[in-house]
Amino acid sequence: MITLRKSSDRGHAQHGWLDSRHSFSFAEYYDPAHMGFGNLRVINEDKVAPGSGFGTHGHRDMEIVSYVLEGELAHKDSMGNGSAGGANAGVIRPGDVQRMSAGSGVLHSEFNHAKDRTTHFLQIWLLPSRRGVEPDYEQKHFDASLRRGRLLPIVTPQGEGTSLRINADASIAAGLFDGEESATVALDPARLAYVHVARGAIEVNGHALQAGDAVMLDGETQLALRRGQDAEVLVFDLARL
């Protein structure tokens, strides 16, 4: 079964300094038909105005992944990340992926320090495999050449290859597709798959998607990505709950 989730159907919050689109119920946006998908709980597409950001706040028992599309996002937390090690410590930029295991509890802040540039990023929450673990943080850069015309694992449960390790029964792969570039991968029909188009346009299993659109795949055995137009795509392999 394939279910489309159009960009225009997402929740929307405009706070002046923050323009946010919610794929699933979040904060004041509530839709009982979209509370998550498998163990994927949140995909927020956030645009943070220059000189603005999320002040210090807490999380517990959630796996949080940040994926920057434009600009920079400065991270600082109660584990000491971002507070030492030079001016760039804790800053993530396009191509960088940040993973934070909130576990037993962590405080953090995220800020766009630029004076003239908006930060555009995806904030992703996944339900953890184990609760109450020690909070943890990891950040890594994935060059565009490694994602060009293919799906590169960027987050996996065991930190396979060059991916970040996550405390969740889920994996995330990222790909860049344009023109004749394509990818076809086998899916486990016992699991769920979710495809989010971060930007551009692409055809997913014969369905034409635009930036912000997504597709949910349940019981499917194959994922086919083709006819991309400057497309950046995230593909989630998810556990059923």
Side-chain angles (χ1 to χ4, degrees), residues 36-41 127-128 169 192 238-241:
F37 188 61
N39 53 349
L40 174 61
R41 179 61 187 84
L127 300 174
D169 184 8
L192 300 172
L238 303 164
R240 297 177 181 273
L241 296 183

Side-chain angles (χ1 to χ4, degrees), residues 152-176:
L152 175 73
I154 57 173
V155 174
T156 62
Q158 303 300 325
E160 300 164 6
T162 61
S163 67
L164 302 177
R165 179 189 56 79
I166 195 170
N167 173 36
D169 184 8
S171 298
I172 308 173
L176 302 172

Side-chain angles (χ1 to χ4, degrees), residues 14 33 35 38-41 63 71 83 89 91 93 101-102 105 107 112 117 122 127 130 184 193 205 208 224:
Q14 175 56 258
M35 297 299 296
N39 53 349
L40 174 61
R41 179 61 187 84
E63 297 295 298
S83 63
V91 176
R93 303 175 176 85
S101 296
L107 297 174
N112 174 16
R117 187 173 185 182
L122 299 177
L127 300 174
R130 294 178 294 122
T184 302
N205 283 29

Side-chain angles (χ1 to χ4, degrees), residues 43-85:
I43 299 181
N44 288 348
E45 180 183 359
D46 291 339
K47 294 181 179 179
V48 182
S52 302
F54 303 89
T56 301
H57 58 284
H59 293 285
R60 182 182 297 271
D61 288 323
M62 193 66 70
E63 297 295 298
I64 300 172
V65 176
S66 296
Y67 187 96
V68 174
L69 296 165
E70 296 179 73
E72 298 181 353
L73 188 69
H75 167 97
K76 187 175 182 179
D77 63 44
S78 55
M79 294 178 281
N81 298 298
S83 63

Side-chain angles (χ1 to χ4, degrees), residues 182-235:
S182 65
T184 302
V185 296
L187 299 177
D188 181 351
R191 295 178 63 81
L192 300 172
Y194 188 92
V195 182
H196 179 84
V197 182
R199 67 170 128 215
I202 196 166
E203 187 178 285
V204 180
N205 283 29
H207 298 274
L209 302 184
Q210 306 289 326
D213 292 347
V215 62
M216 294 169 273
L217 300 104
D218 184 349
E220 298 295 315
T221 59
Q222 181 175 277
L223 171 66
L225 304 173
R226 56 176 53 90
R227 296 187 176 90
Q229 300 173 39
D230 194 25
E232 187 161 2
V233 178
L234 294 182
V235 176

Side-chain angles (χ1 to χ4, degrees), residues 7 13 24 47 75 96 99 108 136 141 164 194 196 219 227:
S7 174
F24 304 108
K47 294 181 179 179
H75 167 97
D96 293 343
R99 184 271 306 166
H108 81 137
D136 192 28
H141 181 77
L164 302 177
Y194 188 92
H196 179 84
R227 296 187 176 90

Side-chain angles (χ1 to χ4, degrees), residues 5 20 26 30 60 71 133 137-138 158 175 193 195-196 205 229:
R5 175 73 161 147
S20 186
F26 186 86
Y30 176 71
R60 182 182 297 271
V133 301
Y137 174 92
E138 194 176 7
Q158 303 300 325
V195 182
H196 179 84
N205 283 29
Q229 300 173 39

